[in-house]
Amino acid sequence: MLLLTMIARVADGLPLAASIQEDEQAFRDLQKYQSQAKQLFRKLNEQSPTRCTLEADTMSFHYIIEHGVCYLVLSEANFPKKLAFAFLEDLHSEFDEQYGKKVPTVSRPYCFIEFETYIQKTKKLYTDSRARRNLGSINTELQDVQRLMVANIEEVLQRGEALSDRNCLYEEAFAALASVAQVIACRPMHQEVAG
Amino acid sequence: MSQPGIPASGGALTGLQAQNGAASASGSSYTNGPIQNALLSAQGYNSQLPGSYSHLIPAKTLNPVSGQSNYGGSQTVSPLSNYQGPGQTLHRPPVASNPVTPSLHSGPVPRMPQHASQNPAATPMPSGSFHPGANVPPPLNWQYNYPSTGSQTNHYPRVSTGPTMSGNTNLTSHQYVSSGDPSHQNNFIKSGSAPPLNPPLPTAFQPGVPLGPPPTGGPPPVRALSPQKSSQRDVPQPSFNSPINQEGITSSTNNGSMVVHNSYDEIEGGGFLATPQLTNKNPTVSRSVGYSYPSLPPGYQNTQPPSTTGMPPSSLSYPSGPQAFTQNSLGANHLTASMSGLSLHPDGLRVINLLHERNMLPSTPLQPPVPNLHEDIQRLNCNPELFRCTLTSIPQTQALLNKAKLPLGLLLHPFKDLMQLPVVTSSTIVRCRSCRTYINPFVSFLDQRRWKCNLCYQVNDVPEEFMYNPLTRVYGEPHRRPEVQNATIEFMAPSEYMLRPPQPPVYLFVFDVSHNAIETGYLNSVCQSLLDNLDLLPGNTRTKIGFITFDSTIHFYSLQEGLSQPQMLIVSDIEDIFIPMPENLLVNLNESKELVQDLLKTLPQMFAKTLETQSALGPALQSAFKLMSPTGGRMSVFQTQLPTLGVGALKPREEPNQRSSAKEIHLTPSTDFYKKLALDCSGQQVAVDLFLLSGQYSDLASLGCISRYSAGSVYYYPSYHHQHNPVQVQKLQKELHRYLTRKIGFEAVMRIRCTKGLSIHTFHGNFFVRSTDLLSLPNVNPDAGYAVQMSVEESLTDTQLVSFQSALLYTSSKGERRIRVHTLCLPVVSTLNEVFLGADVQAISGLLANMAVDRSVTASLSDARDALVNAVIDSLSAYRSSVLSNHQPGLMVPFSLRLFPLFVLALLKQKSFQTGTNARLDERIFAMCQVKNQPLVYLMLTTHPNLYRVDNLSDEGALNINDRTIPQPPILQLSMEKLSRDGAFLMDAGSTDLPELDTPESARTIAFISWLREQRPFFPILYIIRDENPMKAVFLQNMVEDRTESAFSYYEFLLHIQQQVNK
């Protein structure tokens, strides 16, 4: 399931659009994730990796950054990553076309909230297993998603600098199509923090 | 019990005849003068028999747990919840047989001033049985305190409110509150009047020995208070820090913080009192600046936190004088202002003998009094149509307020449609960091970099961004920013003011399609209206719409994009309601517009032949709630009969034969189902608007709760029928148009703040009170009014001005989060005479009406009527005994209150409070709903209609609007003597026009009527009543100055008041 979708400006974390959770129960449960997402937006900057997956309990955040705009979605951890990223790419191309030029000029939060209609529709497309078959392109284009950065959201948020300070590390990892070993290298740190 | 009444009013009449010497022998029930039949008039009072306590509430209301602890929590407003506890039922029988009871029923005639507090056990407040001793009203001003004691005791959550409220009270009240009794307001009185009831109480507050205001029982002259007061101030403030402060800090976080907002409370900024410690966090600033504001008297320092008390003011004076800023003239100029103000209104100083000068009604609409402020301040003040106070001169102390016997409160119309509204978009909204007040025209700038809050006196920094004025494009003029130049302003909220992305506009319509409903033909009319206005619904490309219909089953309509026609889904299991498909029932209006139009066209025919008479309203509401709860939005429910099936089914309770006895009037809900569901709705940002179109009794007292607590509105079209009642058809159509197209705010909250020392204790209107003082408004509409009651907690001797600020945070239909802020500034006065001079009689009548509705529900209708009459008697007695030096005969009133007896008499004859057989129960309840939910201006019109003569209109003094000439005929007194056979008269009674037309209508008349109508959010029906028409009785019902079968004429009423006042 794709649960939360948010679009924000990287420069200042200003939320531009989002989808309201359709399911009331889920909305309550997702409050925590929503605020994590908001905090994440404030942390992101130009040096942040442009594609990343952040683990949060049984959920995963996936985001991409394109043209100074961050597209983020929360999914269950077992939701196919490539689908999630394909979904984000889809949002990106539509959003960029509709609002891309206006993004730097706005100051009010959720200026493009009307984009929600498109988000909801696209979400349906990517979560409905029947409709999904039509998205044949996914399989080929996005195979490299497996190699994307994986980190833990708590860690990123608690250590405010995480994404920027350790950027070099990330950049390298990213450039070299990060190996599993490096991902694991992040783990012990997380445990320290958590402990 | 009623014995004292008869001789007394008989006496009154005799007196009247003796004085008047012109007893009319006609006996006609409409004569203006007195009549001989003493018994007839005595009946007027005695028809409200005190026996009204003997009835029992049906057993099924006994659901104390859910009614009280789950929801009653902080609903200060809801007297209704009082009723659902067992205490009420258990309490009543003893009361009925209690020998003390007669004293509770002192009708207007045998008035017993002591009765209110003499015997707390017998006080007819239901809450008495819950918290014995906690709600003894102060002896002398019972009219104004009953709602606060009653509802506070029942609703305030003990633990959390106690400390919060104490934040701005003194030590005494703090301890009192923490001892578990939230009705802090009465702390001084109770020790004297009812000590045995609450033994721990005296010990609880005696440490704080120097009690400020003396007991209301015998207030000494006001001047005597000042020395006392200062000693009280020296008592160290309690360290009210721990729980509240954390909340306060949280709430004051801003941009860049990591704090997760979990509630609107935090977002809007927490209560005024929640953050007192913040002053201490910055002692340097406050010490060097805060307490040496030159225009304030030295005594002022003492109101501040202990860290700063005792600092000699002189040594602290801030070097750069405030003279450089226009703002700072506020306090300093006040004294001169009051002088000039007084001389400006010579008329206002007049004392009037109402028995001699009877015709006090102005021929033009009554204007609200102008607060006695320096013109520079008044120029910036809030428009009284939006925000006004019952007393435009605020009494310095509670003792002074008690002496005046006038209610202190605010009347608000916060979301009124405005022609001009400055809107500010900036990344930081400047607010006081202590009490979260929005910067406003009445703050003071100490220098360019610091401003002092006018509510809590906290000194705040001026943010860098605020230094630049976008209007003048000048840097360094913070006091010229629009925020400081406009008392009404709207802010674009940054994302900290959002708990979730702004919700889309969601409109769900729920239609009764039972046989009865189809018979009325309403569905046709409503569907047509919807079709006509579909494109005018406020919204954007996200707008969602959905439909549910119901009879004995619930029907859903799938409007999925791509379907060739709407698909109907029937759910017959109404016991365990479920949504047949989660998607496509609420659809995007843009994308499914054709399907929606299709449905609206076919819907009326679909049920044309239905034989189903049952109505499962409760389950239908439950399913509608489920459908909307993920997003929130507006639910519009159309109901035409008493619900008969499933949860929320109701039984007929009205007994027409007993209408007149005032006994067994069911003003309280018979089930808490609708209230509980409304609170669930409120939690999910769903508001329910109820359209009741029923000829039969439908128990609006129960049904209305669904709208009341979810911040919806109630519309009532009695005996709606598409053929038999064409005026109602037109009314529904016009009102639907307004309803569907008017502005709407979603997921809203409102908070009202006031200057330290004042405290708001009871709220009136449709909403749910969350966390003490935050009004939860799932929807807000431009036609809703609100009222609050206030008390003076701490004496205001150190300040000359007080301010009130309402902040309404809402999501517009375009998905913008906005905050609309109104700020009102008023002077503080120290003498009773000034308090009276500044009284706003319309606001007072409006607030009294709200209080009387609560009183009718918590006690009885006759109690409410007595309280209304006593309000006049008490205030005029106070005026006579304390202000007037020489006691002349007659009924002497201050100019400001010259219409007070008239308006109260009009209230007594209003549908809500009238006696006699005219009012059907649902109509009465509807009138009460209107009192609570209407803005003051419409409430006054329904209470005291405007009467015009329209057969001789001239262009003299006419208005010219857009090339139209609208004649302005003078307003006539509501008395038959103003009518004549050869004239045509128009009565503008708010929602119902009742004109009498004998002559052909002229263009002028039409222009005038349509002008009157354009000003209304609702559509006044125009009845044309000739002399012989049966509607004449309705028309005459509104002639409030005349005698009716069950009520005094104005002159008789004045005599009665005079007799009581001069006693």
Side-chain angles (χ1 to χ4, degrees):
Chain A
M1 271 301 276
L2 294 170
L3 298 162
L4 258 183
T5 313
M6 297 175 87
I7 301 177
R9 187 162 67 191
V10 174
D12 56 358
L14 182 79
L16 300 171
S19 70
I20 285 237
Q21 195 47 45
E22 291 287 311
D23 177 6
E24 161 208 359
Q25 186 55 41
F27 173 74
R28 298 238 169 257
D29 300 344
L30 291 177
Q31 281 281 314
K32 177 181 117 196
Y33 298 108
Q34 189 176 321
S35 58
Q36 280 183 339
K38 276 188 183 172
Q39 293 169 40
L40 178 66
F41 285 145
R42 296 204 193 101
K43 298 287 165 204
L44 292 175
N45 58 32
E46 283 146 27
Q47 280 82 48
S48 307
T50 57
R51 273 164 181 66
C52 192
T53 294
L54 299 168
E55 294 171 343
D57 304 338
T58 59
M59 304 285 180
S60 293
F61 286 104
H62 311 278
Y63 76 80
I64 65 173
I65 296 177
E66 292 284 353
H67 300 126
V69 177
C70 177
Y71 303 83
L72 177 135
V73 68
L74 177 75
S75 74
E76 282 152 349
N78 59 8
F79 187 84
K81 247 170 132 180
K82 59 182 178 185
L83 267 183
F85 278 97
F87 170 65
L88 293 175
E89 292 290 350
D90 192 330
L91 292 189
H92 155 61
S93 55
E94 179 70 20
F95 187 84
D96 207 43
E97 190 178 315
Q98 280 197 38
Y99 306 107
K101 283 181 188 143
K102 292 189 215 156
V103 166
T105 63
V106 298
S107 59
R108 184 167 65 76
Y110 297 108
C111 250
F112 309 122
I113 188 70
E114 295 193 47
F115 190 66
E116 189 208 354
T117 315
Y118 184 82
I119 300 179
Q120 297 285 13
K121 254 196 251 169
T122 315
K123 192 161 83 178
K124 230 173 266 175
L125 215 60
Y126 280 82
T127 45
D128 184 341
S129 56
R130 279 168 300 174
R132 223 185 274 168
R133 275 184 228 132
N134 304 330
L135 304 166
S137 56
I138 300 170
N139 294 321
T140 50
E141 284 173 22
L142 283 155
Q143 279 187 347
D144 55 346
V145 289
Q146 297 303 340
R147 299 178 193 137
L148 289 184
M149 261 296 309
V150 177
N152 183 284
I153 184 84
E154 299 274 344
E155 184 181 340
V156 171
L157 296 180
Q158 282 176 17
R159 296 179 44 91
E161 333 67 73
L163 278 185
S164 40
D165 270 5
R166 290 159 66 223
N167 236 327
C168 309
L169 179 66
Y170 282 175
E171 292 282 87
E172 281 167 31
F174 207 64
L177 295 177
S179 69
V180 180
Q182 273 164 315
V183 173
I184 290 171
C186 296
R187 292 277 159 84
M189 270 206 60
H190 163 57
Q191 282 162 3
E192 277 166 41
V193 173
Chain B
M1 280 188 245
S2 58
Q3 277 315 104
I6 292 171
S9 49
L13 274 176
T14 338
L16 173 155
Q17 288 175 3
Q19 280 192 22
N20 214 28
S24 150
S26 73
S28 144
S29 54
Y30 295 116
T31 40
N32 193 29
I35 62 164
Q36 286 179 333
N37 189 345
L39 273 180
L40 181 58
S41 73
Q43 243 168 9
Y45 282 130
N46 293 331
S47 59
Q48 330 126 18
L49 287 175
S52 55
Y53 291 114
S54 56
H55 81 275
L56 287 171
I57 287 186
K60 66 178 166 182
T61 64
L62 300 183
N63 195 349
V65 180
S66 52
Q68 292 290 329
S69 55
N70 288 357
Y71 302 109
S74 60
Q75 178 77 6
T76 337
V77 198
S78 74
L80 292 187
S81 70
N82 295 348
Y83 271 74
Q84 287 159 3
Q88 171 68 359
T89 324
L90 295 176
H91 184 53
R92 286 194 171 196
V95 171
S97 59
N98 194 318
V100 195
T101 330
S103 70
L104 299 172
H105 284 278
S106 61
V109 178
R111 191 167 163 266
M112 302 179 195
Q114 82 284 7
H115 74 274
S117 61
Q118 284 309 296
N119 189 340
T123 308
M125 272 180 283
S127 48
S129 50
F130 289 106
H131 310 287
N135 49 28
V136 189
L140 284 176
N141 60 345
W142 62 288
Q143 305 92 317
Y144 307 129
N145 285 336
Y146 67 79
S148 72
T149 39
S151 43
Q152 267 185 347
T153 359
N154 268 342
H155 304 303
Y156 274 87
R158 286 307 148 89
V159 188
S160 62
T161 13
T164 318
M165 310 274 309
S166 69
N168 82 333
T169 56
N170 51 36
L171 175 63
T172 328
S173 96
H174 176 75
Q175 293 189 339
Y176 189 83
V177 169
S178 53
S179 79
D181 191 328
S183 84
H184 53 279
Q185 183 203 344
N186 299 325
N187 51 350
F188 303 116
I189 295 121
K190 268 180 218 138
S191 61
S193 66
L197 289 172
N198 208 342
L201 202 156
T203 44
F205 74 80
Q206 249 142 34
V209 173
L211 296 180
T216 31
V222 191
R223 275 180 207 152
L225 277 178
S226 17
Q228 248 179 325
K229 188 224 76 221
S230 59
S231 67
Q232 170 204 352
R233 283 309 150 80
D234 291 332
V235 175
Q237 296 268 343
S239 58
F240 34 70
N241 283 338
S242 41
I244 336 155
N245 292 344
Q246 278 147 20
E247 183 196 320
I249 292 165
T250 315
S251 63
S252 59
T253 52
N254 53 19
N255 222 339
S257 78
M258 297 289 246
V259 175
V260 180
H261 294 304
N262 283 326
S263 74
Y264 283 109
D265 193 18
E266 290 173 24
I267 280 186
E268 214 282 322
F272 164 42
L273 316 163
T275 56
Q277 92 300 344
L278 286 184
T279 32
N280 297 337
K281 280 177 75 182
N282 208 341
T284 346
V285 177
S286 38
R287 231 174 250 170
S288 59
V289 184
Y291 310 110
S292 54
Y293 184 46
S295 66
L296 290 164
Y300 170 71
Q301 276 81 11
N302 292 334
T303 59
Q304 298 303 320
S307 63
T308 55
T309 47
M311 296 296 277
S314 52
S315 69
L316 295 172
S317 58
Y318 187 70
S320 87
Q323 290 80 5
F325 299 90
T326 47
Q327 282 295 318
N328 296 312
S329 55
L330 298 197
N333 285 347
H334 172 61
L335 263 186
T336 42
S338 64
M339 292 314 193
S340 62
L342 291 185
S343 57
L344 275 176
H345 309 288
D347 217 23
L349 291 173
R350 277 175 62 203
V351 178
I352 289 166
N353 184 346
L354 280 182
L355 293 180
H356 291 156
E357 298 183 64
R358 264 196 60 222
N359 190 5
M360 293 313 302
L361 190 73
S363 62
T364 54
L366 187 63
Q367 296 302 315
V370 180
N372 189 7
L373 292 166
H374 190 278
E375 58 181 319
D376 286 345
I377 310 173
Q378 184 51 34
R379 186 175 49 84
L380 295 171
N381 223 344
C382 196
N383 182 343
E385 287 177 14
L386 304 172
F387 204 166
R388 65 204 270 188
C389 185
T390 55
L391 304 177
T392 60
S393 298
I394 302 292
Q396 214 169 43
T397 59
Q398 181 69 35
L400 185 60
L401 174 61
N402 290 346
K403 250 177 131 183
K405 305 284 180 200
L406 290 169
L408 178 59
L410 302 169
L411 288 106
L412 295 90
H413 190 177
F415 204 52
K416 184 180 176 5
D417 289 324
L418 296 171
M419 301 295 279
Q420 253 194 330
L421 176 68
V423 179
V424 173
T425 312
S426 76
S427 58
T428 46
I429 295 178
V430 182
R431 299 173 67 179
C432 173
R433 64 195 161 91
S434 169
C435 69
R436 308 301 290 143
T437 294
Y438 296 79
I439 197 165
N440 61 73
F442 313 108
V443 303
S444 38
F445 282 93
L446 300 175
D447 56 31
Q448 282 209 341
R449 287 296 180 172
R450 279 172 302 180
W451 62 277
K452 183 150 79 178
C453 177
N454 51 333
L455 271 70
C456 71
Y457 311 118
Q458 167 78 27
V459 175
N460 294 277
D461 294 335
V462 175
E464 181 60 34
E465 194 189 343
F466 204 74
M467 295 301 290
Y468 176 73
N469 185 346
L471 286 188
T472 57
R473 305 193 174 183
V474 171
Y475 184 85
E477 287 189 339
H479 55 286
R480 292 206 187 277
R481 289 266 303 196
E483 292 92 331
V484 190
Q485 289 296 318
N486 295 285
T488 291
I489 197 160
E490 195 155 275
F491 296 95
M492 288 292 191
S495 59
E496 297 84 58
Y497 292 78
M498 306 176 190
L499 285 180
R500 57 174 187 175
Q503 70 163 80
V506 178
Y507 304 110
L508 178 64
F509 295 88
V510 182
F511 295 126
D512 178 359
V513 292
S514 64
H515 176 72
N516 187 52
I518 299 304
E519 271 298 288
T520 66
Y522 90 91
L523 198 54
N524 228 329
S525 191
V526 173
C527 287
Q528 189 55 49
S529 243
L530 260 169
L531 274 173
D532 295 344
N533 294 304
L534 211 51
D535 294 329
L536 301 174
L537 282 174
N540 53 12
T541 59
R542 298 167 78 207
T543 309
K544 288 182 164 195
I545 195 166
F547 300 89
I548 290 177
T549 57
F550 68 97
D551 39 36
S552 60
T553 56
I554 319 289
H555 325 128
F556 297 86
Y557 298 87
S558 167
L559 301 164
Q560 186 178 9
E561 203 183 353
L563 281 179
S564 59
Q565 63 179 48
Q567 207 173 31
M568 183 176 175
L569 304 136
I570 301 178
V571 173
S572 52
D573 180 7
I574 57 167
E575 294 305 318
D576 183 19
I577 205 75
F578 67 98
I579 306 290
M581 55 166 30
E583 288 165 346
N584 304 321
L585 297 180
L586 272 177
V587 294
N588 185 296
L589 177 57
N590 270 12
E591 287 163 2
S592 301
K593 187 169 277 173
E594 283 177 17
L595 280 174
V596 169
Q597 286 169 332
D598 219 24
L599 177 64
L600 287 171
K601 282 174 194 153
T602 52
L603 205 52
Q605 279 76 50
M606 284 170 65
F607 300 94
K609 302 233 156 49
T610 186
L611 294 172
E612 185 54 69
T613 55
Q614 303 276 42
S615 165
L617 175 67
L621 289 173
Q622 282 180 326
S623 55
F625 163 67
K626 275 193 180 169
L627 194 53
M628 295 187 85
S629 54
T631 48
R634 181 174 77 188
M635 189 197 302
S636 315
V637 180
F638 292 79
Q639 171 74 5
T640 65
Q641 58 174 315
L642 203 63
T644 54
L645 275 187
V647 283
L650 299 169
K651 292 198 170 60
R653 296 191 290 170
E654 187 185 41
E655 288 162 59
N657 303 336
Q658 297 190 3
R659 268 184 207 155
S660 58
S661 68
K663 227 190 219 179
E664 298 283 337
I665 309 190
H666 296 283
L667 300 174
T668 52
S670 63
T671 165
D672 63 357
F673 169 77
Y674 294 97
K675 180 181 177 184
K676 283 166 116 178
L677 186 58
L679 294 174
D680 290 342
C681 286
S682 178
Q684 298 298 325
Q685 307 296 349
V686 176
V688 185
D689 294 325
L690 176 67
F691 290 78
L692 185 61
L693 313 99
S694 171
Q696 304 297 316
Y697 173 73
S698 302
D699 199 352
L700 188 55
S702 302
L703 293 183
C705 292
I706 192 75
S707 298
R708 176 172 180 190
Y709 296 100
S710 69
S713 346
V714 175
Y715 292 80
Y716 182 42
Y717 305 88
S719 310
Y720 183 95
H721 194 278
H722 64 112
Q723 282 170 337
H724 305 153
N725 205 341
V727 284
Q728 291 280 19
V729 176
Q730 195 193 12
K731 184 173 162 70
L732 174 65
Q733 190 203 346
K734 299 279 186 185
E735 291 187 351
L736 264 181
H737 171 72
R738 165 73 186 168
Y739 172 78
L740 294 171
T741 58
R742 71 185 177 191
K743 220 172 131 79
I744 182 169
F746 295 97
E747 44 186 359
V749 289
M750 181 164 76
R751 174 170 272 133
I752 303 163
R753 298 178 166 87
C754 51
T755 294
K756 191 177 150 115
L758 291 167
S759 113
I760 293 172
H761 59 72
T762 303
F763 300 85
H764 301 278
N766 289 359
F767 45 71
F768 175 61
V769 183
R770 210 159 33 174
S771 68
T772 321
D773 63 342
L774 189 74
L775 308 187
S776 167
L777 301 163
N779 285 182
V780 60
N781 73 68
D783 305 328
Y786 305 89
V788 301
Q789 286 168 249
M790 290 188 298
S791 55
V792 185
E793 287 271 304
E794 255 175 89
S795 93
L796 302 165
T797 32
D798 301 325
T799 181
Q800 292 168 329
L801 298 172
V802 288
S803 300
F804 309 90
Q805 185 173 75
S806 77
L808 175 72
L809 171 66
Y810 70 98
T811 299
S812 77
S813 53
K814 305 283 181 224
E816 300 156 340
R817 202 80 173 130
R818 288 161 168 259
I819 311 161
R820 187 172 293 187
V821 177
H822 305 288
T823 315
L824 174 72
C825 180
L826 294 175
V828 174
V829 298
S830 57
T831 68
L832 205 51
N833 191 27
E834 289 170 290
V835 174
F836 277 110
L837 288 181
D840 179 341
V841 68
Q842 285 178 309
I844 290 173
S845 309
L847 186 62
L848 283 175
N850 273 291
M851 292 159 66
V853 169
D854 280 2
R855 188 63 173 264
S856 308
V857 173
T858 53
S860 72
L861 192 61
S862 52
D863 250 37
R865 289 172 55 89
D866 290 357
L868 283 172
V869 176
N870 289 346
V872 181
I873 295 173
D874 287 345
S875 59
L876 297 186
S877 304
Y879 183 72
R880 183 183 147 91
S881 60
S882 306
V883 177
L884 295 179
S885 44
N886 53 339
H887 289 193
Q888 304 146 322
L891 182 56
M892 310 306 291
V893 300
F895 184 77
S896 60
L897 292 179
R898 67 200 185 282
L899 296 172
F900 193 23
L902 177 61
F903 286 164
V904 165
L905 179 66
L907 277 176
L908 293 175
K909 298 185 178 186
Q910 211 239 25
K911 267 237 158 82
S912 313
F913 308 112
Q914 65 182 213
T915 52
T917 54
N918 286 312
R920 289 161 57 187
L921 187 46
D922 278 345
E923 287 181 25
R924 185 189 295 277
I925 302 273
F926 178 66
M928 289 182 168
C929 293
Q930 294 289 87
V931 166
K932 284 264 180 173
N933 193 34
Q934 272 193 329
L936 181 64
V937 49
Y938 306 124
L939 171 58
M940 286 316 292
L941 264 188
T942 47
T943 304
H944 187 274
N946 287 338
L947 181 67
Y948 306 95
R949 178 160 186 164
V950 290
D951 57 307
N952 57 356
L953 293 177
S954 75
D955 286 343
E956 198 183 319
L959 286 181
N960 274 301
I961 301 172
N962 300 334
D963 300 332
R964 284 192 307 155
T965 305
I966 296 136
Q968 297 290 301
I971 295 172
L972 305 175
Q973 283 176 281
L974 292 171
S975 172
M976 282 297 275
E977 66 184 294
K978 297 291 175 191
L979 300 184
S980 61
R981 282 204 166 269
D982 57 351
F985 297 87
L986 178 78
M987 181 182 286
D988 177 9
S991 60
T992 340
D993 261 350
L994 301 165
E996 180 167 290
L997 295 175
D998 286 326
T999 54
E1001 293 168 282
S1002 65
R1004 282 197 187 107
T1005 319
I1006 292 169
F1008 181 59
I1009 292 172
S1010 55
W1011 175 74
L1012 284 177
R1013 279 180 167 165
E1014 281 161 17
Q1015 298 175 305
R1016 305 289 148 74
F1018 40 81
F1019 185 76
I1021 300 180
L1022 182 80
Y1023 289 111
I1024 297 171
I1025 306 166
R1026 287 173 194 282
D1027 205 9
E1028 313 78 34
N1029 193 299
M1031 288 295 289
K1032 187 179 170 185
V1034 185
F1035 181 79
L1036 296 174
Q1037 183 78 41
N1038 280 307
M1039 303 305 266
V1040 297
E1041 297 204 12
D1042 294 341
R1043 162 194 296 281
T1044 65
E1045 54 179 286
S1046 58
F1048 274 161
S1049 74
Y1050 181 48
Y1051 192 68
E1052 288 168 315
F1053 186 67
L1054 286 179
L1055 288 176
H1056 169 67
I1057 299 285
Q1058 183 215 8
Q1059 194 191 32
Q1060 297 300 314
V1061 167
N1062 295 355
K1063 212 160 41 182

